[in-house]
Amino acid sequence: VYKTLGVPPGYLERLTGIHEHRWWDEGVRISQAASWAGEQALQNTGIDPGEVQCLINASVCRDYIEPATSTFVHHNLGLPPTAMNFDMINACLGFVNAMVVVANMIELGQIDTGIIVAAEDPREGQLATIQDLLDNPPSKEKLRDNLASFTLGAASVAMILRHKSKSRTGKRLLGGYFYGLTEFNELCVAQREWMRTDSSALLREGSKAVIKAYEGFQKELGWDNDSIDKVFAHQISEPQRRIGLYKTLKLREGIDYVTLSYLGNTASVAAPICMAIAQDDGWLEDGDRVCLMGVGSGVNSIMLGIQW
């Protein structure tokens, strides 16, 4: 396709800043990958599966249309039959949405412990897109429209939220803010075997949603740019990262943790896995004020504040 269109090798890398990304081994199901993350979260925290009262699977990808992928994860983790489970899907924003839902359930006194999992794997869609480009006369317009599908990568992540009375760490989800510009819901649309994106328009309109969400977030939490120690943002492309964080929001250089170059865009997993890897690396430190930035096609944005 590149040869036919006269596109130089390395074009995608230079355009996005993504140099590699991953697929799960062939035959690995989304529920398996999500379960691995859930198992690790339970092991790392020492929380018994019997204490979990709610499981949300927030993956864009899933095993089947029905039943919910959460049912397989629930079984794999050995959660009690009284632990509610369901899928929550909102493009790349699903995991952050699920954090809000679990937190609200805790605040309402419905549960005291919940776990969120997500796993993504773009293999099927990327193979289908490659085959489509090979089977039909390629054009630069078609390559442009399908470019975003090649930025996606596989990964999984999990998070456990508990009532403060049961916390072993003292870390807190403090609040957040949501803003949606749903009139732009056609800028990025996808099925299992294809994805069509107007990248320039999505960047432009998505940035507007991010600005509004961030402004509301600052007022809600009483934080300014100097109050925030660390940022974990959805990973889309390097130009979008630099424009969104440093030019648009005027955040200081080096405040965010980046996995884009080696994981690609891992959809619902992206922002929370940055936080998880940063914790493992020792980059995220106790006492840090954290802004977790979510944005997804539609176009929606959520900002959450965390006292680490």
Side-chain angles (χ1 to χ4, degrees):
V1 172
Y2 273 18
K3 184 176 180 181
T4 300
L5 298 177
V7 176
Y11 169 73
L12 184 62
E13 292 90 333
R14 288 194 297 273
L15 188 67
T16 65
I18 299 169
H19 296 280
E20 57 183 271
H21 57 178
R22 283 150 177 76
W23 288 346
W24 296 106
D25 291 340
E26 193 166 359
V28 171
R29 290 166 51 168
I30 291 299
S31 58
Q32 287 177 284
S35 298
W36 292 334
E39 288 169 357
Q40 188 169 333
L42 291 167
Q43 290 170 7
N44 289 350
T45 57
I47 294 172
D48 188 276
E51 298 181 71
V52 177
Q53 296 165 305
C54 181
L55 161 76
I56 300 179
N57 169 64
S59 311
V60 176
C61 300
R62 58 187 114 169
D63 289 358
Y64 305 103
I65 294 176
E66 63 172 301
T69 301
S70 66
T71 61
F72 299 99
V73 181
H74 183 281
H75 175 71
N76 292 343
L77 296 182
L79 302 186
T82 52
M84 185 184 301
N85 72 91
F86 54 94
D87 288 352
M88 175 172 286
I89 301 168
N90 189 14
C92 300
L93 210 58
F95 196 98
V96 188
N97 280 132
M99 290 175 64
V100 174
V101 170
V102 169
N104 285 339
M105 292 176 73
I106 291 172
E107 290 293 317
L108 288 168
Q110 297 170 337
I111 65 170
D112 57 44
T113 304
I115 185 169
I116 304 154
V117 299
E120 306 292 5
D121 189 0
R123 176 197 294 263
E124 181 181 7
Q126 287 173 342
L127 287 175
T129 300
I130 290 170
Q131 196 60 52
D132 180 55
L133 289 170
L134 292 173
D135 289 346
N136 298 286
S139 67
K140 289 186 177 179
E141 291 74 20
K142 189 168 186 177
L143 179 63
R144 178 200 64 206
D145 290 345
N146 286 275
L147 204 59
S149 66
F150 296 116
T151 69
L152 301 174
S156 67
V157 71
M159 177 183 287
I160 297 173
L161 295 177
R162 310 195 83 183
H163 189 274
K164 62 183 179 181
S165 64
K166 288 202 166 188
S167 173
R168 302 174 185 179
T169 64
K171 305 182 191 308
R172 297 285 305 279
L173 174 58
L174 301 176
Y177 198 84
F178 168 84
Y179 198 87
L181 291 172
T182 54
E183 62 267 36
F184 301 110
N185 54 33
E186 292 280 355
L187 295 181
C188 179
V189 294
Q191 296 283 9
R192 293 178 73 100
E193 296 185 349
W194 58 265
M195 182 177 185
R196 185 180 70 248
T197 306
D198 185 338
S199 298
S200 59
L202 186 63
L203 173 59
R204 181 178 64 251
E205 306 306 336
S207 295
K208 294 177 184 176
V210 167
I211 291 170
K212 290 293 188 181
Y214 187 63
E215 289 173 349
F217 165 82
Q218 288 181 305
K219 292 178 181 177
E220 183 72 22
L221 271 72
W223 291 2
D224 57 22
N225 281 6
D226 293 332
S227 304
I228 300 170
D229 299 304
K230 304 287 169 60
V231 169
F232 301 101
H234 180 49
Q235 309 282 290
I236 303 172
S237 74
E238 182 59 22
Q240 288 171 318
R241 168 180 167 259
R242 300 202 67 82
I243 291 171
L245 293 184
Y246 300 132
K247 184 177 179 181
T248 304
L249 301 183
K250 297 180 172 55
L251 292 165
R252 62 186 180 275
E253 291 276 350
I255 196 172
D256 64 320
Y257 193 90
V258 186
T259 61
L260 181 73
S261 65
Y262 62 95
L263 289 182
N265 176 358
T266 52
S268 68
V269 173
I273 205 171
C274 287
M275 190 161 67
I277 296 174
Q279 180 187 13
D280 287 346
D281 285 351
W283 190 81
L284 177 59
E285 299 175 323
D286 287 345
D288 279 343
R289 283 186 171 186
V290 173
C291 179
L292 186 63
M293 293 187 171
V295 61
S297 57
V299 178
N300 293 314
S301 180
I302 290 182
M303 309 283 172
L304 295 182
I306 298 168
Q307 180 66 57
W308 197 257

